[in-house]
Amino acid sequence: MDERSPLLSLKNIDVTFTKRNGLFKPKSSIKVLSNISLDIYPGEVLALVGESGGGKTTIGNVITGLVRPSAGEMLYKGENVLALPNKQFDE
């Protein structure tokens, strides 16, 4: 990997949460991130700013592996870590 290659790339990330509306009511889905893409290069510092409820924490949770996206790719040093088996992803 050279200095011009991204260390981490998010490509077309979508996150949809499912919520239950009551014990006997059907579940509903809410899309909280749609088509998010960004690159972070070695030595670079990234700041996410925006309105409350804009998805900043959710993006951070995707990057740290706390939330799995519904769609998209997350490349670390060129490897799609979302395609890894859960056991290997958690290491």
Side-chain angles (χ1 to χ4, degrees), residues 6 11 25 27 32 54 59 73 77 80 86-87 91:
K11 297 183 182 227
K25 294 183 180 178
K27 294 179 182 178
V32 294
I59 292 171
E73 295 181 317
K77 294 184 178 180
N80 185 4
N86 282 338
K87 183 177 179 182
E91 291 178 349

Side-chain angles (χ1 to χ4, degrees), residues 21-90:
N21 295 321
L23 187 59
F24 299 107
K25 294 183 180 178
K27 294 179 182 178
S28 62
S29 298
I30 182 167
K31 192 172 229 180
V32 294
L33 293 180
S34 179
N35 199 29
I36 301 297
S37 297
L38 63 86
D39 292 328
I40 302 173
Y41 292 87
E44 186 175 54
V45 176
L46 175 74
L48 292 174
V49 296
E51 296 180 22
S52 177
K56 300 176 298 292
T57 299
T58 303
I59 292 171
N61 287 339
V62 167
I63 290 171
T64 58
L66 295 173
V67 169
R68 283 269 191 160
S70 310
E73 295 181 317
M74 183 167 61
L75 305 174
Y76 176 70
K77 294 184 178 180
E79 183 178 1
N80 185 4
V81 295
L82 297 176
L84 296 173
N86 282 338
K87 183 177 179 182
Q88 192 175 3
F89 179 81
D90 292 338

